[in-house]
Amino acid sequence: MADWGRTARRYLPAVVLVLVVVILGYFLTPQRPTAPPPPGDERPAATPRPAPELKTIAPLPQHPQIKVYFNYSQESVYTDPYRKIKRYGYDLEDLIIKHIQSAQSSVDIAVQELNLPYIAQALVAQRNKGVRVRFITENTYNKDWSQQLEDPQIDEDDQRNQAKLSEYRNLIDANQDGKITEEELNTRDVYRILTRGGVPYIDDTADLSKGSNLMHHKFVVVDNKKVLMGSANFTLSDIHGDFGEENSRGNTNHIVIFDSPEIAQVYSQEFAIMWGQGGGGGSQFGVQKPVRPTQVAKVGDATVGIHFSPFGRRVPWQETTSGAIARALRTATRRIDLALFVFSDNELSLVLEDLHDNKGIEVRGIFDPGFANRDYSNTLEMWGIVLAPNCRFRPGRVPWRNPAQQVGVPRLHRTDKMHHKFGLIDDQVVITGSHNWTEAANRGNDESIAIIASPVVAAHFQREFERLLDGARFGPSQRLKERYEANKKECGDPPAEILTRAQINVAALGGKTLKININTATLEELTQLSGIGKATAERIIAERPFASIEDLTRVRGIGPSTLERLRDQITVN
């Protein structure tokens, strides 16, 4: 025992010295901050929370001029700069900021919603360097924090906007102490930042209207050379995840980056039409914009078609953005995959069913859980279901005779949405953009799609689709099945005229499902033919019978051009 004591006393000074060095080293060495430093013009590096190791997969080759990034991709890991959560995905906000910072002459942004302060700071920094910066947004989302608090449209019963307001409050409250200071407003409130920084911005009321249905664009043009576009709004929930939800990883989204002056010129033209002179001086939004056909450009070995919405009622459906989507779908020889936030375009549903039934095309789909089960969702038809509220069957809404087998909803955190808007054809062609597959997008919103023919680009979307497919729930929920059975018991099946009208529509949209016998068709059936009104239909009935299709030209109002348009839709026997 005495020996142990002597040994301890001998080494005690050395032990004390080591402890002193360690303690001094800890306090003298610069420490990583536990809270984010005050934000400036650059986004501060995030301090990651402890997290399990996230193993990545090998990235796919990118097209030299068309690059694709997904915020859920397992190719990459990053740390959410606001919530400090390490997670899978590409940091889409960082991609946007880096492209803004790369600008030498101009940055034009048109996005429905922006609430990420580091993007706003990057725009101000570029403007201070002499870069021309312009910004267009939807009129619902162009208010700073104080204006939002005073907005009479946001009342206590408006749960959606109350949730957005709460989310934005958390985003502005940088140190999360429950108090919003003037400094936090100046550095975190997007519209305070833009206004103080002198960045000019307008919304879709700049054309002196009440606004388009929605200014729903999501694109950036840099130096008239590069375009960033896709499905993502520039918001916390669309890119990173929701405050207060530890397991939220944001809505599923992607960004496509075109390094192409030709594509940039097309988007710059759309921006210029909306911008006009910066408000009230020639700005055009919604159906006031000029109608433009698909604009096609070669980007390396890829072919890209760009289409802008909306189209007024006078424009035939086939000439709209949805019509362009339908033409692309009809090129399928094997399979069509859909990842859509909302699907409620009846004509596109009819086209897909025609391809599924009559050409043997496999159709698979992943849809947002919040919309897939709604009465107006075309997902219902794909499941072989149709609901008739108050027993009123709507034209074009008919269940698929052979329901698609792999149509369902993905596995997501409860506050996250399946926000993609893409279709994939034979693993070769991608249809993507801001455009949901809805009548509202086609006929009312400011939107764009890109139809990209490139197997290299398509491979990225295929990987994302397969990721969404893994673990998805297919088919209608039990609750929806019960609703359908109750509705069917009360209302029966869709009446024959609804089914007939749907089949006629398929023929009119380029399908071969049904040809109308003009010798036996009813007045209502004839009026469903393309360009045939009630008066012409009555004259057709009066002139019957017809020995051949060509005999139809003896009906007043039907000439050779009308006959050619009808040829694939009609028969005489």
Side-chain angles (χ1 to χ4, degrees), residues 335-497:
R335 188 175 67 210
I336 295 171
D337 292 331
L338 308 173
L340 303 175
F341 182 44
V342 190
F343 182 28
S344 61
D345 190 310
N346 295 335
E347 284 81 3
L348 286 177
S349 177
L350 293 171
V351 169
L352 286 166
E353 186 191 16
D354 181 53
L355 292 169
H356 182 249
D357 276 2
N358 298 305
K359 288 192 176 180
I361 304 299
E362 181 185 13
V363 178
R364 304 187 298 177
I366 294 294
F367 302 91
D368 181 65
F371 285 99
N373 296 320
R374 297 194 183 184
D375 291 354
Y376 56 77
S377 174
N378 291 130
T379 313
L380 273 62
E381 286 102 297
M382 300 176 79
W383 285 330
I385 287 176
V386 64
L387 296 175
N390 301 316
C391 292
R392 292 182 180 178
F393 289 92
R394 288 165 286 183
R397 300 298 307 277
V398 294
W400 285 23
R401 294 181 296 274
N402 300 300
Q405 297 304 304
Q406 287 189 289
V407 169
V409 298
R411 182 174 52 192
L412 294 171
H413 179 67
R414 64 180 185 82
T415 65
D416 295 335
K417 302 181 186 302
M418 211 303 298
H419 200 247
H420 290 307
K421 305 117 179 20
F422 72 78
L424 185 62
I425 302 168
D426 292 338
D427 304 337
Q428 301 290 316
V429 177
V430 176
I431 306 166
T432 187
S434 66
H435 186 104
N436 287 307
W437 292 21
T438 68
E439 184 179 17
N442 199 38
R443 296 293 189 182
N445 298 353
D446 295 290
E447 309 268 14
S448 79
I449 62 165
I451 302 176
I452 308 167
S454 166
V456 175
V457 175
H460 291 268
F461 286 89
Q462 188 62 54
R463 173 174 276 188
E464 173 69 358
F465 184 83
E466 296 296 341
R467 185 192 68 80
L468 291 166
L469 207 64
D470 184 30
R473 175 181 60 77
F474 299 116
S477 65
Q478 185 59 38
R479 182 179 178 184
L480 181 59
K481 290 177 183 177
E482 292 170 357
R483 285 181 60 204
Y484 169 63
E485 291 300 330
N487 190 254
K488 185 176 181 180
K489 184 177 180 180
E490 179 184 1
C491 307
D493 292 320
E497 59 265 26

Side-chain angles (χ1 to χ4, degrees), residues 88-106:
Y88 279 118
Y90 286 100
D91 186 343
L92 303 187
E93 182 188 13
D94 190 54
L95 285 170
I96 295 164
I97 290 172
K98 285 179 177 176
H99 279 81
I100 291 171
Q101 291 172 339
S102 73
Q104 300 298 309
S105 60
S106 64

